[in-house]
Amino acid sequence: MVLVHRVFRRELGALPDLVRSVSDEDGDRVTDLAGHIDLLLDLLHHHHETEDALLWPLLLDRAPQHRTLLLAMDAEHDHLSTRITQVRETLRAWREGAGAAATARLASDLEAMVVPMLAHLDHEEQDALPLCADLLSQEEWNRLGERAIGALGPENALLVLGAMHEASAEEEWQDFVVLLPPPVAEAYQAHGAATYQPYIQRVRAPRRPGQHLTSIADQFFAAAERADTATMRSIYTPDAVIWHNDGTSGQTVEENLAFLDMLFGGLQELRYEVVRRHVSEDSVFQTHVLHIVLPDGAILDLDAAMIIMFRAGRICRIEEYLDMKGLDVLLGAVTAGAG
């Protein structure tokens, strides 16, 4: 149990950032990572389903004085089952089109699942696992693991064993592997590591520094061009600050989006042309030209420079330097058009 819990902590805990790093144009990466998420969700589901069906009833029968604890374990599983279902729904939408909004929702739902999962694992190890050691035979214990991993099918079972091996000290692994059914141990010895290593390398595919930030920035500007403030909101952190060289201290997310709603509503067309871009680990600097068709059909080209700062895959601060004379023309035209 401790080994598979380590896999849950490591692999599920890493997923939100991995999801946020994926470019929606990278279909192969979406496929690889979505398959990994499916595997982990299946493993978590079967692990809990096995405990619900075999472990908690057995412990309740043998240690009824611990009824409150065992019912709490069952209730925590029910809560996590709801979270797993939610992640599966957003994962399906992400597979169909990994745009910024779908990516943000999936990462958020994964985080909402991981937090209570970590608390549950700690609770189980601290309070329930000692009961198992006292009240279960080795044969009964082995039956739990065989059922949970066996439900995944042979190929996925080898991947899970590879993840458990990676999470183990070698002495721990040798103590564990002797408990596996001989055909399973032999299959893992023959094929497990060779199967797992290329698989997990694809999942954890290295990327160029800041590569995923470029994708997020592109998604943000594409949303602005189509006046999609809902997607822009999903890319901002809730506490993001949007600063301009107009002498004010900066806008909140809601202030910025309200301003853009007003602005977008008065324009016939808006297009960003990136002139230069520099990407670091946590920021994007670019100069660009806003090609704008004003309400009366006149064309305005507005020069700008922007520093975009990121936290956990979302925009946490923008500093935008605009040609203020051009901005005055833009705002005057939009105000006149609205009047």
Side-chain angles (χ1 to χ4, degrees), residues 177-197:
V177 81
V178 297
L179 303 175
L180 293 172
V184 175
E186 291 167 8
Y188 181 75
Q189 181 67 26
H191 307 291
T195 300
Y196 178 71
Q197 287 305 321

Side-chain angles (χ1 to χ4, degrees), residues 25-301:
E25 294 88 11
D26 193 346
D28 290 341
R29 180 77 176 125
V30 170
T31 299
D32 287 342
L33 193 51
H36 185 57
I37 296 171
D38 270 334
L39 172 60
L40 293 172
L41 294 178
D42 286 346
L43 177 61
L44 185 60
H45 165 75
H46 291 306
H47 178 73
H48 287 169
E49 190 271 338
T50 297
E51 290 177 337
D52 292 340
L54 300 182
L55 181 58
W56 307 141
L58 191 61
L59 292 178
L60 188 59
D61 181 62
R62 295 178 184 177
Q65 69 273 26
H66 295 288
R67 178 181 177 83
T68 300
L69 167 64
L70 298 172
L71 291 178
M73 292 290 105
D74 191 58
E76 289 171 12
H77 283 185
D78 286 345
H79 175 67
L80 285 169
S81 179
T82 301
R83 295 294 185 182
I84 290 170
T85 298
Q86 180 61 46
V87 170
R88 289 194 192 278
E89 290 177 1
T90 50
L91 178 61
R92 189 179 306 111
W94 189 65
R95 263 195 174 106
E96 293 171 357
T103 297
R105 281 194 297 270
L106 178 58
S108 177
D109 284 346
L110 283 165
E111 288 172 335
M113 182 189 72
V114 167
V115 171
M117 181 202 71
L118 294 176
H120 168 70
L121 298 182
D122 290 344
H123 190 190
E124 191 170 82
E125 290 174 8
Q126 179 178 342
D127 295 330
L129 192 55
L131 294 181
C132 300
D134 292 339
L135 299 174
L136 267 66
S137 69
Q138 187 63 59
E139 181 181 355
E140 290 169 328
W141 192 249
N142 291 351
R143 193 155 51 241
L144 293 171
E146 290 169 13
R147 171 171 168 162
I149 294 181
L152 298 171
E155 183 177 348
N156 284 339
L158 289 180
L159 294 176
V160 169
L161 289 173
M164 294 171 70
H165 193 175
E166 184 182 32
S168 312
E170 193 55 34
E171 184 177 348
E172 287 179 310
W173 179 251
Q174 294 306 323
D175 288 342
F176 169 74
V177 81
V178 297
L179 303 175
L180 293 172
V184 175
E186 291 167 8
Y188 181 75
Q189 181 67 26
H191 307 291
T195 300
Y196 178 71
Q197 287 305 321
Y199 167 84
I200 203 63
Q201 286 172 9
R202 288 197 306 275
V203 167
R204 300 170 185 165
R207 59 182 184 269
R208 297 188 303 275
Q211 180 183 12
H212 64 300
L213 302 186
T214 299
S215 173
I216 297 167
D218 287 341
Q219 293 167 13
F220 182 80
F221 290 116
E225 288 178 340
R226 61 178 185 269
D228 181 1
T229 53
T231 294
M232 296 176 75
R233 178 183 283 105
S234 74
I235 298 174
Y236 280 134
T237 62
D239 60 345
V241 174
I242 299 87
W243 178 92
H244 299 92
N245 57 321
D246 59 0
T248 62
S249 58
Q251 298 172 320
T252 66
V253 171
E254 295 306 320
E255 289 169 342
N256 177 249
L257 295 179
F259 171 76
L260 292 177
D261 269 330
M262 178 276 295
L263 190 66
F264 293 154
L267 300 181
Q268 293 190 32
E269 184 179 333
L270 170 67
R271 181 172 59 85
Y272 286 85
E273 178 189 357
V274 177
V275 177
R276 182 182 177 192
R277 177 178 279 174
H278 174 75
V279 183
S280 71
E281 286 288 350
D282 58 3
S283 66
V284 172
F285 167 77
Q286 72 178 43
T287 57
H288 54 248
V289 180
L290 290 86
H291 298 291
I292 302 165
V293 180
L294 298 172
D296 62 0
I299 294 174
L300 173 67
D301 294 328

